[in-house]
Amino acid sequence: MIDLSDRAVIERTRGLVGDETSAHERADVDARMIWSALTEPGDAVAGALIASSGPRRALEVLGSSDAAPLISAQAEVDSQTAAVSLERWRARRGDAPAASAAARRSQVHVLTPEQEGWPEGLRDLGPHSPHCLWFRGDARVLSPGRSSVALVGARAATAYGQDVVTQLAGELAADGAVIVSGGAYGIDGMAHRAALTVGGATVAWLAGGVDRPYPAGNRQLLESIPQRGGAVVAEAPCGSAPTKWRFLARNRLIAAASAATVVVEAGWRSGSINTAGHAAALGRPLGAVPGPVTSAASAGCHRLLREYAADCVTSASDVRELWGDVGREETTSSEGRTDDATRVLDALSSRVDRDIAEVVRRCGLSADRCAAVLGLLALEGRAERRTQGWRAVRR
């Protein structure tokens, strides 16, 4: 049985949450910290159980004599899955105190979905969303409403890739965007450095605990980010090692927490393709920077442009268009008014279907006006309605 007494709660959360936190809130934070220590990132069974019962009640279930049937019923999984999950979680029952103690030593804080500032995009992950976040730095750069873009790419970046990401990150950060990446060598590290150079904000998502900066060669960078207004964040508790699985799981957070994802340079099987896949699955705008056709370092970007219908990104303005900060250039008709048909066509793609809500967001017209214009474009053979939405017709 995991101790949820008031004394244990206060001890585990001491220094990790604000002094103004109520006893009720502190207990929820404590329960989520424990779940973070019990599970691996993205554990959907734990996520479903917590969503159904709440974090504290879910912990109480683990100590009951009929835990497996309760997990099966509340998480809506079969009995075998429930039994395996229970065995896995119980094996880590003693890890939470060590994680919270390590967090206090390293001046790490905790943020939960119930607290103000939780990245709203993470909720799109459903049962795979983090139980809590462990972070160092300013939590405000994670808060909803901040324009953010994930700039990711190859560790073995070329001079071309480093130059491009420096320009993109620098210009976007100078305009107030939060630069999100994974703290790795190559493109990730250059994106963080460029943001800091112009006095901008950046967030590094780590695969292991934030008390163990990784890679070691970027330790100075990762320690400087919190000191200069950014944040270093992880869902794995302090003391956790950055394993291969956790790197892959971490990529979904980078995609979910960002308004758009841009792959600057990547090989055919780069981990950045995994991040791009998460962005596409979540419906996030996805961009890729083209490179020389002879460069293996850009093969992954070309694959995204061809197979994932990623938008071609060559400048910071292209990135802003991905999340709608900058509208496409409008043309006017002979009557001097805005050409709504052009606006709607600019919002469509000839390679991927877009539903009416996405077209409305991109073109800036009302839903009714947008639907009317789409109907006219369909009659003219310039757009077509398909199973998954609308698509422009190549002419």
Side-chain angles (χ1 to χ4, degrees):
M1 184 69 175
I2 296 173
D3 189 0
L4 285 175
S5 67
D6 289 344
R7 180 177 297 177
V9 167
I10 291 172
E11 179 59 29
R12 273 190 289 261
T13 58
R14 181 177 295 153
L16 307 182
V17 295
D19 293 336
E20 71 283 358
T21 305
S22 69
H24 178 80
E25 292 171 331
R26 187 181 289 271
D28 280 342
V29 172
D30 182 64
R32 287 189 171 275
M33 287 164 50
I34 294 172
W35 274 111
S36 178
L38 294 178
T39 63
E40 278 296 302
D43 189 322
V45 179
L49 179 62
I50 292 170
S52 172
S53 307
R56 280 183 285 168
R57 173 56 186 155
L59 278 181
E60 293 170 1
V61 166
L62 300 192
S64 64
S65 58
D66 56 348
L70 286 173
I71 293 169
S72 178
Q74 295 179 23
E76 298 184 354
V77 295
D78 60 74
S79 57
Q80 182 178 1
T81 300
V84 171
S85 296
L86 179 61
E87 180 181 3
R88 188 171 63 240
W89 301 336
R90 282 179 168 173
R92 293 183 172 179
R93 282 182 295 184
D95 291 355
S100 55
R104 288 195 299 274
R105 288 195 301 270
S106 301
Q107 296 184 316
V108 172
H109 302 286
V110 173
L111 185 66
T112 70
E114 295 80 18
Q115 293 176 300
E116 183 179 355
W118 181 262
E120 288 298 316
L122 297 184
R123 300 189 195 279
D124 293 342
L125 295 171
H128 299 282
S129 62
H131 308 308
C132 66
L133 297 176
W134 307 74
F135 72 96
R136 294 174 58 232
D138 191 342
R140 289 176 296 181
V141 298
L142 304 172
S143 63
R146 294 292 297 265
S147 295
S148 59
V149 58
L151 296 178
V152 297
R155 288 176 173 81
T158 67
Y160 165 78
Q162 293 178 26
D163 183 57
V164 171
V165 74
T166 297
Q167 293 183 38
L168 291 178
E171 184 173 337
L172 291 166
D175 285 345
V178 177
I179 305 302
V180 179
S181 202
Y185 294 130
I187 296 299
D188 289 21
M190 293 299 293
H192 294 307
R193 290 187 180 91
L196 294 177
T197 297
V198 299
T202 187
V203 177
W205 290 84
L206 304 188
V210 294
D211 62 327
R212 299 177 60 171
Y214 184 89
N218 278 355
R219 184 183 187 93
Q220 185 175 358
L221 168 65
L222 294 173
E223 291 181 344
S224 69
I225 289 174
Q227 298 169 1
R228 299 172 66 178
V232 176
V233 197
E235 67 177 314
C238 289
S240 300
T243 62
K244 182 177 181 180
W245 158 248
R246 290 171 183 165
F247 274 110
L248 292 174
R250 181 276 313 269
N251 291 343
R252 82 192 194 287
L253 304 182
I254 292 176
S258 305
T261 295
V262 175
V263 181
V264 179
E265 194 173 47
W268 185 262
R269 296 184 180 277
S270 169
S272 301
I273 304 300
N274 176 258
T275 306
H278 285 297
L282 290 165
R284 298 288 193 274
L286 175 63
V289 175
V293 296
T294 55
S295 174
S298 289
C301 292
H302 299 155
R303 178 185 176 191
L304 293 175
L305 292 168
R306 183 175 63 253
E307 298 179 11
Y308 287 70
D311 284 295
C312 181
V313 170
T314 61
S315 66
S317 62
D318 289 343
V319 179
R320 296 188 193 101
E321 284 188 7
L322 287 177
W323 70 67
D325 274 7
V326 176
R328 298 176 188 267
E329 183 178 349
E330 296 178 346
T331 61
T332 56
S333 70
S334 57
E335 298 176 351
R337 61 178 175 79
T338 299
D339 186 347
D340 290 345
T342 300
R343 293 174 65 174
V344 173
L345 279 173
D346 282 347
L348 295 176
S349 168
S350 61
R351 295 173 295 171
V352 63
D353 299 341
R354 288 178 177 157
D355 62 29
I356 187 70
E358 177 64 8
V359 178
V360 167
R361 187 188 71 80
R362 288 173 176 263
C363 74
L365 299 175
S366 68
D368 289 344
R369 179 58 183 160
C370 183
V373 173
L374 283 169
L376 291 173
L377 291 173
L379 290 174
E380 296 171 1
R382 301 165 70 188
E384 61 177 339
R385 188 170 190 170
R386 298 161 64 92
T387 304
Q388 301 298 322
W390 287 85
R391 184 179 294 198
V393 176
R394 291 183 180 273
R395 309 184 81 180

